Amino acid sequence: MKHLSPFLGILFIGLLLVLGSCRKDEIFPPEPAIEFVEYFVYPADSGLYRINFTDGDGDIGTDSEDSTKHIFLEYRYLDTLTGTWKKYLVNVVPPVPPATVGDSIYMEFSYRIPEVENVGKDKALKGEINVRIPYPHFLSAHTYFYKCWIYDRAGHKSNVVESQIVYP
């Protein structure tokens, strides 16, 4: 009986490990979903935007040969005269076709997401994306935030998330 006790303890621990390693496959919708984690400003030159994502059919990102952009960040600033949040317009100088002199574009950053492969049998993906954004020094006097969304390879658009408000 004395020798049986250590054996039962080891068996119990082994059983817990086996049962604990069995996990149910996570099920997510085919459209990507994102959650804002943080935006951190590096005062000298850039900012780091972090989001978590899920995608039920696992088609996030593109291979290195494809230059398609799948993550978008839109800069919004507080117009102190009207008290409203606005997209920032940047004049196109010199004009880049098809823009003409005097045209403006909204300040929006877009990036390619490298293809993410899931090694398991389940196609669903869950992970984190970190994006380093160039810091617009000419905007340092603005109170601002970023909106962010992603697309998967099938063209499904995620929800839109917002960073915290950054004060000058």
Side-chain angles (χ1 to χ4, degrees):
M1 189 74 161
K2 242 182 182 183
H3 297 293
L4 196 55
S5 249
F7 174 74
L8 286 176
I10 292 171
L11 182 65
F12 180 71
I13 291 171
L15 186 59
L16 284 177
L17 289 174
V18 169
L19 291 176
S21 67
C22 296
R23 70 170 182 90
K24 288 188 175 189
D25 290 338
E26 294 187 88
I27 299 173
F28 304 114
E31 301 82 18
I34 61 175
E35 175 184 75
F36 174 73
V37 176
E38 78 172 330
Y39 174 65
F40 179 80
V41 177
Y42 296 102
D45 65 350
S46 60
L48 179 68
Y49 198 98
R50 294 179 52 213
I51 58 172
N52 289 330
F53 74 91
T54 60
D55 187 62
D57 54 6
D59 61 344
I60 294 290
T62 57
D63 65 32
S64 60
E65 304 298 316
D66 190 344
S67 62
T68 305
K69 310 291 190 200
H70 285 102
I71 184 166
F72 298 87
L73 293 119
E74 180 182 88
Y75 180 89
R76 295 282 181 124
Y77 74 98
L78 180 61
D79 182 333
T80 55
L81 294 176
T82 64
T84 59
W85 293 98
K86 294 186 174 181
K87 294 181 183 181
Y88 191 82
L89 285 172
V90 179
N91 289 324
V92 181
V93 180
V96 177
T100 59
V101 175
D103 275 358
S104 296
I105 57 171
Y106 289 113
M107 189 158 74
E108 183 177 281
F109 299 96
S110 58
Y111 300 94
R112 189 180 78 75
I113 301 173
E115 187 170 5
V116 180
E117 291 186 42
N118 195 337
V119 292
K121 63 181 169 107
D122 184 20
K123 289 201 275 186
L125 290 174
K126 182 178 184 177
E128 181 177 286
I129 297 173
N130 296 314
V131 178
R132 192 91 182 243
I133 306 168
Y135 182 69
H137 294 288
F138 57 92
L139 301 173
S140 60
H142 287 162
T143 298
Y144 69 95
F145 71 93
Y146 283 97
K147 286 189 170 196
C148 178
W149 61 94
I150 66 174
Y151 286 93
D152 63 15
R153 288 190 301 275
H156 299 126
K157 182 180 178 181
S158 73
N159 55 309
V160 178
V161 296
E162 298 177 354
S163 71
Q164 78 275 16
I165 296 172
V166 179
Y167 299 94

